[in-house]
Amino acid sequence: MTGDTIKNRDDLIAYLDAAMALEHATIPPYLTAYYSIDSTTNSDAAHIIRVVAVEEMLHLTLAANVLNAVGGQPDLTREGFVPRYPARLPDGEDDFFVDLRSFSPAAIDTFCQIERPGKAPAAGSRLVRTDPGKTMLAASPTVDGMHFFSIGEFYAEIIAGLERLAKADPGLFRGDPARQVGPEYFYSGGGTIKPVHDLDTARDALQFIADQGEGSDSGLYDADGELAHYYRFRQLQLGHYYQPGDHSERPSGPPLSVDWDTVFQVKTSARLADYPPDSELRAVAEAFNADYGRFLALLTRAFNGEPPLLQEAVWHMFRLRDGFNRLMRNPLPGSGGLNAAPTFEVPVFEAVTA
């Protein structure tokens, strides 16, 4: 299939909404692993995870720019935008679960699965049947019961659909340019935000997301010469940094030391129901969820005509550290000696948009 599941502008908007939810869905797992690391250890690992989390914000913003360019309206506060963890992602013919867990070999294995290169054997096998009754990220929002072979194939479908619709509809890119977020509102070490106003800029934005590590078959480095996310995480598994010219399985750079034991061991994918009712710890978990909801409301406003708020939202994301620490440094009763962790069961916040 080459964009066949995107037949009109409404289909395209549904796909771009799904792309934003997909990009966001990686942020809670990355932040959970990041904040579970004791601040006195694992500085290399913490830096890798932090940079990837910030770049996921870049991907989220690029997807919002494309959605705005075709006249959609980003809404990160809508019910269901934040998945219930463990969430499911495609892994070829099968799928895997993304948990909220401590920094560990299992967490890095999952991160590599999220970011892995993955190309369907043929265009006709880009879509795979989804198990009935299960929610799949990177599912087709227009073909019931089907999901994509990989995240890379999901984006390939959007790009192909964009190309087909733009050819048939010269007015496809009808969005208000004032809603575009430009590079002046965001800084990331890998890549920059670019406004979207036509097919070329939309295609470039989506291809950049794929090439930076979301499952495309683009090699170790993206078009800007930055190491793709998949290979950044592979460094943690292989114990060395990559250098230009390295084989994908034999990084030859400086050693990368990891201490898997100096980590706050938290309950995996904790839920509010795991917290004792009326306890102080439950109140902290609920306060964290509300604070995360405010973060999503800030992003929604930033993507709907108030782009300067993006900088405040990124700052807010890392201000969540206090909530992470108040949970992760305390035992969770009844969990077999594990500590508490955020649940990301986010209340619905109305974002006041421009």
Side-chain angles (χ1 to χ4, degrees):
M1 286 185 190
T2 54
D4 292 349
T5 65
I6 300 175
K7 301 184 184 303
N8 52 51
R9 180 172 161 273
D10 287 344
D11 288 349
L12 177 60
I13 287 173
Y15 264 89
L16 292 169
D17 273 333
M20 290 190 65
L22 173 61
E23 291 306 319
H24 165 266
T26 65
I27 292 175
Y30 291 160
L31 291 181
T32 300
Y34 173 72
Y35 284 115
S36 73
I37 296 173
D38 189 302
S39 61
T40 63
T41 64
N42 286 310
S43 59
D44 290 344
H47 177 72
I48 288 172
I49 297 172
R50 188 184 194 281
V51 168
V52 172
V54 172
E55 290 178 356
E56 294 298 344
M57 286 284 289
L58 169 64
H59 297 174
L60 182 64
T61 305
L62 289 170
N65 274 357
V66 179
L67 179 58
N68 272 322
V70 299
Q73 184 172 359
D75 184 4
L76 290 72
T77 65
R78 61 180 171 82
E79 188 173 355
F81 181 82
V82 181
R84 178 185 176 119
Y85 295 95
R88 297 169 72 241
L89 279 169
D91 186 20
E93 297 291 338
D94 301 309
D95 56 83
F96 66 98
F97 287 96
V98 178
D99 282 294
L100 303 172
R101 63 169 67 241
S102 300
F103 175 67
S104 62
I108 300 304
D109 286 348
T110 298
F111 297 168
C112 284
Q113 283 184 288
I114 291 171
E115 308 285 4
R116 72 179 183 88
K119 190 172 180 63
S125 55
R126 180 176 288 169
L127 277 174
V128 180
R129 186 158 300 282
T130 300
D131 293 338
K134 293 184 178 179
T135 300
M136 172 74 74
L137 295 166
S140 169
T142 64
V143 182
D144 190 42
M146 303 295 284
H147 70 266
F148 284 87
F149 186 88
S150 68
I151 296 174
E153 292 287 10
F154 173 78
Y155 278 106
E157 184 75 0
I158 299 176
I159 292 170
L162 261 172
E163 292 172 340
R164 292 173 67 246
L165 293 182
K167 184 176 180 179
D169 179 7
L172 179 64
F173 293 93
R174 65 191 68 176
D176 182 356
R179 289 175 177 263
Q180 293 294 309
V181 179
E184 66 271 28
Y185 301 118
F186 183 84
Y187 173 77
S188 169
T192 56
I193 293 173
K194 297 179 181 179
V196 173
H197 53 81
D198 59 13
L199 176 59
D200 287 341
T201 51
R203 184 167 43 207
D204 287 349
L206 296 172
Q207 193 63 57
F208 176 84
I209 295 172
D211 288 348
Q212 199 175 53
E214 302 300 328
S216 72
D217 188 19
S218 58
L220 271 68
Y221 297 90
D222 62 27
D224 293 335
E226 296 287 337
L227 194 64
H229 290 179
Y230 173 78
Y231 295 103
R232 294 189 200 185
F233 290 132
R234 282 292 283 154
Q235 293 174 140
L236 295 171
Q237 295 178 319
L238 298 173
H240 283 269
Y241 285 100
Y242 285 102
Q243 296 190 127
D246 278 348
H247 185 278
S248 61
E249 295 301 306
R250 294 190 297 275
S252 64
L256 194 162
S257 178
V258 177
D259 184 349
W260 302 108
D261 295 323
T262 54
V263 172
F264 295 109
Q265 300 296 335
V266 305
K267 181 176 176 62
T268 298
S269 296
R271 308 295 294 173
L272 281 175
D274 297 322
Y275 289 80
D278 301 322
S279 66
E280 182 178 352
L281 202 56
R282 181 175 179 124
V284 172
E286 290 174 339
F288 178 94
N289 289 341
D291 206 17
Y292 198 81
R294 284 186 280 272
F295 160 66
L296 296 179
L298 269 176
L299 282 175
T300 298
R301 291 175 59 192
F303 298 152
N304 283 274
E306 299 180 70
L309 288 179
L310 180 60
Q311 293 174 322
E312 183 179 342
V314 174
W315 173 84
H316 191 102
M317 181 172 75
F318 287 103
R319 192 177 69 82
L320 294 167
R321 174 187 59 199
D322 292 341
F324 273 105
N325 287 339
R326 291 179 68 193
L327 292 166
M328 290 182 162
R329 294 171 184 265
N330 285 288
L332 179 61
S335 65
L338 297 173
N339 284 5
T343 69
F344 292 93
E345 295 167 272
V346 180
V348 175
F349 277 79
E350 182 178 354
V352 179
T353 59

